[in-house]
Amino acid sequence: MTDTGTVRPSNEDNFLIEAGLGLVAVADGMGGHDSGEVASAEALSSLANFLRASTDPDSGVAPPDFRASPFDPEATDPHAHWSEATLASMVTLHDAVEFTNQRMYQTNLANRRGDGGGMGTTLTGVWQPEPGAPLLVFHVGDSRLYRYRAGQLTQLTRDQTMYQEAVEAGATENLPPRNLLLQAIGPSGDVRPELHIQAVQPGDLYLLCSDGMYGATSDERIAALLADAGPAQLGDCCKELIATALRDGSRDNVTVVLFHCD
């Protein structure tokens, strides 16, 4: 679910759920930039079309003529031992994110906005190439992926913001605003997505959300709302998460996507 919220005049968030493709993602168009709602929608569409064309020869979608930068999937977790199929899917996912960025960046260049002032968006989600396969996580920006497992809420992505970078460096004063991104889809021709692999356990519950959800609401409050979210309660839980964020003072668009994995 997504909600414009109580402050902004329009909703620049978008989400995508394509069960047949095994793809779930959230994109938050960059506030203060041109056409944030267009950027988030186009990023999700470009990503899904690339993955569909790369994995389904009967999709009717021609694979794009695109050469991505070199990527070693084993470097994302050198101590793990994943199957060749999983590693190959990671390469495909990496290429899909780079393609999505290049397509939006070229649009910005064509509109003479290649100086970082054109449209842009965060892009965070998971791709499960086959039922039962590990989840392949992709992340650019500051939307988040959480996992709720055995009563514990774990943030699976790192906010790519100047604020997060300063906190990790040990700064405690004069911290940057929380919404200053280190990178996003579209403003630059160079993007380095966070990519990693997550093994799935029965009963896992995952939450994808924009910063409008977690910006004013603590992880403890989010975890409490997820505690009783069985498969039949996901819709009600989404409503309550959004309502809680707005009650807690969120001034942004709020998007939440909940899904279980078997």
Side-chain angles (χ1 to χ4, degrees), residues 80-158:
H81 299 283
W82 301 104
S83 70
E84 290 298 321
T86 295
L87 295 177
S89 293
M90 279 286 279
V91 174
T92 300
L93 180 59
H94 168 266
D95 294 354
V97 176
E98 283 213 347
F99 168 78
T100 300
N101 181 68
Q102 276 296 326
R103 184 172 181 181
M104 191 167 297
Y105 179 61
Q106 292 301 321
T107 298
N108 284 332
L109 287 178
N111 292 332
R112 299 183 180 179
R113 299 300 299 274
D115 56 357
M119 60 181 180
T121 182
T122 70
L123 184 63
T124 301
V126 298
W127 180 41
Q128 189 177 38
E130 299 288 343
L135 295 183
L136 309 185
V137 179
F138 55 93
H139 173 61
V140 176
D142 67 346
S143 296
R144 286 184 181 177
L145 173 67
Y146 292 92
R147 180 188 65 216
Y148 187 77
R149 174 187 288 175
Q152 297 294 319
L153 184 69
T154 303
Q155 183 180 331
L156 299 180
T157 52
R158 171 187 175 272

Side-chain angles (χ1 to χ4, degrees), residues 3-12 31-32 37 251-253:
D3 193 282
T4 301
T6 60
V7 176
R8 293 185 179 273
S10 62
N11 194 344
E12 296 183 326
E37 66 278 8
R251 297 177 59 83
D252 205 346
N253 310 140

